[in-house]
Amino acid sequence: MAPLQPDAFICCLLWVSKVTFITLLSNITYIIKEIIIFKLRFFYTHLCMYEFDEYSEEMDMPREFRLIQQSIDSFVSIAYNTALSMEESLHPTLENIAVLKGKIQDIIRHNPPLASVPRYCRDNRANFLWYSDFYDDISKEDYRRYRAFTPHTNEITPASYARELVKIDLPYFKELVDLISLERLCQHYENRIPKKEKEGKGTSDKLPDKEKSGRENIETAATTQPTSKIKRISGKRSYEPKLNNKQYALLAECIERIKLFRRPVKVAELRKLLKGKLSGPLQVANQKSLVYLFDLLKENHYIKETWISVAEGNMDFISFRTAGNEQRYGSGPHYITMQQFLNNRARNQKEAIHGLIEIEDMMDLIEENRDK
């Protein structure tokens, strides 16, 4: 066989290089395409999850209470913007904030059911009044009046603000508007104060004890004032359970069968949990199953509709952490938050649920044993 000529060898080498380059370019193009597809799927999934969370939160609240929130928000918007325009050139100080907190404290002192509202307002949640303790703390008669409320159709403007506010015949409504307006103004002032001024100067140096910390005084008022509707244990709220002895036994049996918690839970402990008297949190083995179970209890009117708000406020549940998660996040207890409950509710619409059949069978038995 004749030896390969130099020109032919070079041509062969160039052909091999060209084929290798085309193959490499094709692989790179494929990898880039897969990365783009993955990122688009990731973005779409999280966008849908966020939209569903917002939607599910709206669905969790009855329409009449959503209208009340919207009505309050319309009045608060006018009052807040008016206050800002009047003090546009004012440079807020810690003393101004303390005065606002003192006014908030005065409103709560004379209207105890409003005690929890500032904390939920600061979370910037759209329907904070529904998730607060307000509807639990007012009397049954006042609750019925709020439930029967029909908002006025007139547009709220600065000129009609006072006239329209007088027309609303609901207890605590005006006080709620004043309280929320002051709370938002207080937050606005806090955001405008430089960080160095906050760190280098405390209000306790120049203010009387009664104005030291409006937030501390608000928390104190929340725990010391008696409630008119529910007897609390250590500030906890009740899920308002409507279960008889047989139903409690069925619920405890199902929870043990699907291993919902990291340790066995007896009927007596379940009673304490649902009545707001549990001394310590329960460690949850499967959060999705917990949410599905409690949502079924809610839908069948065995616990209150706002059970998620109660669970977060009571700090009744902590998540289970694997060894890897403990190294990453620490070994301290992690209380399950409202957003985690809502996220798991959204996941239950798309993913399989551990113990689904057992939970639904248990609910059928509970319905059969409902008190006549």
Side-chain angles (χ1 to χ4, degrees), residues 137 231 248 254 278 351:
D137 291 343
K231 183 179 179 182
Y248 268 114
C254 175
L278 194 64
E351 303 174 4

Side-chain angles (χ1 to χ4, degrees), residues 148-199:
F149 172 71
T150 302
H152 297 286
T153 56
N154 298 339
E155 182 183 359
I156 310 300
T157 65
S160 65
Y161 173 87
R163 183 172 62 254
E164 295 297 327
L165 185 59
V166 171
K167 292 180 182 179
I168 298 182
D169 185 24
L170 283 177
Y172 306 112
F173 190 90
K174 180 182 182 302
E175 289 76 10
L176 278 169
V177 172
D178 292 340
L179 176 70
I180 298 165
S181 302
L182 288 170
E183 183 63 41
R184 291 190 172 164
L185 189 62
C186 185
Q187 290 181 57
H188 176 72
Y189 282 3
E190 288 173 346
N191 292 334
R192 288 182 59 188
I193 291 181
K195 187 177 179 181
K196 291 182 179 179
E197 186 175 345
K198 291 180 183 178
E199 294 175 350

Side-chain angles (χ1 to χ4, degrees), residues 13 57 67 120 134 146 165 183 203 237 242 282 331:
L13 186 62
E57 184 178 336
L67 293 176
Y120 285 86
F134 175 72
Y146 270 87
L165 185 59
E183 183 63 41
T203 56
R237 285 195 284 167
K242 299 177 179 63
L282 296 173
S331 58

Side-chain angles (χ1 to χ4, degrees), residues 232-246:
R232 303 211 187 159
I233 302 297
S234 301
K236 288 192 172 187
R237 285 195 284 167
S238 169
Y239 294 82
E240 298 180 10
K242 299 177 179 63
L243 298 166
N244 57 37
N245 293 337
K246 179 63 176 177

Side-chain angles (χ1 to χ4, degrees), residues 97-115 118 172 175-176 178-179 182-183 210-211 213-219 221-222 225:
I97 294 174
V99 170
L100 289 177
K101 288 184 176 180
K103 292 180 179 179
I104 292 172
Q105 177 192 348
D106 288 339
I107 293 175
I108 291 174
R109 185 181 297 113
H110 293 95
N111 304 276
L114 277 61
Y172 306 112
E175 289 76 10
L176 278 169
D178 292 340
L179 176 70
L182 288 170
E183 183 63 41
K210 66 178 182 180
E211 292 183 354
S213 174
R215 177 61 53 194
E216 289 181 5
N217 290 328
I218 289 171
E219 298 291 342
Q225 294 290 345

